[in-house]
């Protein structure tokens, strides 16, 4: 028999057993759909987070924090008593290939305008240096960011100004606001407050406030932060390099670490992004492995169904062999049936998985992707992002090939047994 005749005969055999073939195909559909849905959502999450991080990063910067491991807390997680001070920027500025450095003091606090109060992160920075380093994100949407601000100057992120995203503003340019911080070192605890004047509302960044500007932060002059928080200890120091070459990043990172006797950790934006990509690759592999288990179960189902089919079709196979059909042809007929089942299951599974991924995204977001908020956002209602599932060609072709391969592999034994039956 020719190849076309073999597939035609196999397809006819499948149509004669619609229910059984449908249930067998359903197992493949479920396995492929699980793989496609999980991987497309994970890929969409990775793409979204990467874009958001890139918005808040500058590739020619380093972030210096206390401790031998990088801290994401208020002043950096560390087991050492070593503290970074605002004046430590002078030491860093003397290192070769450093264009400039700036200290950042930040605390979690509140911003109050009239009767409305929102949780925020209060960030003390040098406005001129910060605007120079993050020229594409530390930009005013309304008002002006002063380069030589007075101590009462306040610049707010977009989500601080419009936390509910409906035009109901918490504060706007030229408003007077109260900046509130709870002094945990005082006994009893004491709320420190001062009145500031909003000179600018930043454009929406949409990214994470990791070193760079954030939609959920309030910015005040570094001198005011030192006075208001009563400390010269800084959370981190942002270092702007002369270029973003890997050699420059490595040499300056080593020099900074040596300058502080190994008591600080130095993180580059590119290193964070590379680490993120590695983590997501591991997650994708793990999720694909979990989803593949259901496909293997489907493969066992294919084997069982074909063995039962073999028993039912013994007379048919005997007649075909008596008419001169070779064992190899019988083998190909059974394998062709498995290919058809695997192909149909893979195609339907890919479509179902892609649809499921989008349904899950819409369900979690209430109509537009999966809503994720950072810690400050959860407290004050600021910030957020959406995720769009991504079906890459690799996932598409891989799912299709995986469905076919599993179907054929588990059909080999029944097909071999069928080919060995005697007339």
């Amino acid at each position: 028999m020719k190849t076309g005749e073999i597939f035609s005969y196999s397809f006819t055999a499948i149509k004669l057993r619609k229910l059984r073939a449908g249930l067998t195909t359903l197992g493949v559909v479920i396995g492929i759909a699980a793989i496609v849905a999980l991987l497309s959502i994970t890929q969409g999450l990775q793409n979204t987070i990467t874009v958001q991080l890139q918005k808040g990063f500058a590739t020619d910067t380093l972030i210096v924090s206390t401790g031998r491991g990088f801290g994401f807390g208020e002043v950096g997680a560390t087991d050492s008593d070593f503290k970074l001070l605002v004046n430590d920027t002078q030491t860093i500025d003397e290192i070769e290939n450093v264009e400039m450095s700036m200290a950042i003091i930040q605390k979690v606090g509140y911003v109050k305008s009239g009767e409305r109060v929102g949780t925020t992160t209060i960030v003390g920075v040098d406005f001129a240096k910060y605007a120079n380093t993050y020229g594409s994100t530390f930009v005013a949407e309304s008002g002006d960011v002063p380069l030589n601000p007075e101590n009462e100057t306040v610049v707010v992120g977009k989500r601080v100004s419009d936390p509910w995203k409906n035009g109901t503003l918490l504060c706007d340019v030229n408003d007077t606001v109260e900046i509130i911080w709870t002094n945990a070192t005082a006994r009893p605890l004491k709320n420190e407050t001062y009145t500031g004047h909003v000179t600018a509302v930043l454009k929406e960044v949409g990214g994470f406030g990791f070193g760079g500007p954030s939609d959920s932060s309030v910015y005040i002059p570094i001198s005011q932060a030192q006075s208001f928080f009563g400390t010269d200890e800084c959370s981190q120091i942002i270092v702007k390099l002369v270029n973003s070459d890997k050699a420059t990043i490595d040499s300056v990172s080593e020099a900074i670490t040596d300058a502080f006797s190994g008591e600080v950790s130095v993180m580059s934006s590119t290193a964070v992004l590379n680490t993120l990509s590695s983590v997501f690759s591991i997650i994708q592999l793990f999720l694909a492995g979990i989803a593949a288990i259901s496909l293997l179960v489907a493969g066992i189902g294919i084997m069982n169904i074909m063995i039962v089919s073999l028993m039912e079709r013994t007379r048919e196979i005997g007649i075909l062999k008596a008419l001169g059909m070779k064992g190899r042809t019988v083998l190909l007929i059974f394998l062709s049936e498995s290919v058809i089942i695997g192909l149909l299951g893979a195609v339907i599974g890919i479509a179902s998985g892609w649809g499921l991924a989008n349904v899950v995204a819409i369900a979690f977001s209430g109509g537009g992707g999966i809503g994720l908020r950072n810690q400050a956002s959860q407290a004050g209602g600021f910030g957020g992002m959406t995720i769009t599932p991504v079906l890459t060609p690799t996932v598409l072709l891989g799912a299709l090939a995986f469905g076919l391969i599993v179907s054929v592999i588990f059909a080999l034994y029944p097909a071999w047994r069928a080919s060995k039956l005697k007339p």
Side-chain angles (χ1 to χ4, degrees), residues 60-77:
D60 59 348
T61 60
L62 299 174
I63 302 176
V64 182
S65 67
T66 56
R68 302 178 189 277
F70 196 81
F72 291 91
E74 203 169 82
V75 293

Side-chain angles (χ1 to χ4, degrees), residues 95-294:
I95 296 175
E96 185 180 3
N97 293 323
V98 171
E99 183 177 321
M100 66 177 183
S101 63
M102 56 182 169
I104 293 181
I105 301 177
Q106 63 183 40
K107 304 283 185 181
V108 176
Y110 304 89
V111 56
K112 181 179 180 181
S113 179
E115 297 300 321
R116 295 173 177 166
V117 180
T119 303
T120 186
T121 302
I122 307 168
V123 184
V125 296
D126 184 311
F127 280 26
K129 291 182 177 180
Y130 205 63
N132 183 23
T133 303
Y134 300 103
S136 62
T137 51
F138 195 63
V139 179
E141 180 179 76
S142 58
D144 295 302
V145 177
L147 300 183
N148 295 302
E150 299 178 356
N151 282 344
E152 292 74 25
T153 297
V154 175
V155 173
V156 300
K158 181 65 176 179
R159 294 281 71 81
V160 176
S161 172
D162 184 13
W164 301 280
K165 296 186 179 182
N166 60 3
T168 303
L169 302 182
L170 175 66
C171 58
D172 204 353
V173 175
N174 297 324
D175 284 353
T176 298
V177 296
E178 290 184 36
I179 307 298
I180 305 169
W181 167 65
T182 302
N183 188 351
T185 61
R187 292 294 182 274
L189 300 181
K190 180 181 179 183
N191 282 338
E192 305 287 352
T193 305
Y194 85 93
T195 301
H197 179 70
V198 179
T199 61
V201 175
L202 299 178
K203 290 182 178 179
E204 186 169 5
V205 178
F208 298 93
F210 184 62
S214 167
D215 292 325
S216 59
S217 297
V218 167
Y219 297 89
I220 63 177
I222 186 70
S223 57
Q224 175 65 13
Q226 290 174 272
S227 173
F228 182 49
F229 298 131
T231 182
D232 289 330
E233 181 184 348
C234 59
S235 309
Q236 53 192 210
I237 294 177
I238 307 296
V239 182
K240 183 174 176 60
L241 308 177
V242 294
N243 57 58
S244 58
D245 295 342
K246 186 178 185 302
T248 301
I249 292 174
D250 292 342
S251 63
V252 174
S253 298
E254 184 177 354
I256 292 174
T257 302
D258 292 341
F260 293 97
S261 302
E263 294 291 343
V264 298
S265 62
V266 183
M267 182 68 70
S268 70
S269 303
T270 52
V272 172
L273 294 176
N274 291 337
T275 301
L276 179 68
S277 297
S278 300
V279 169
F280 270 102
S281 296
I282 296 173
I283 292 175
Q284 284 183 321
L285 185 61
F286 176 70
L287 293 178
I290 293 177
I293 293 175
S294 62

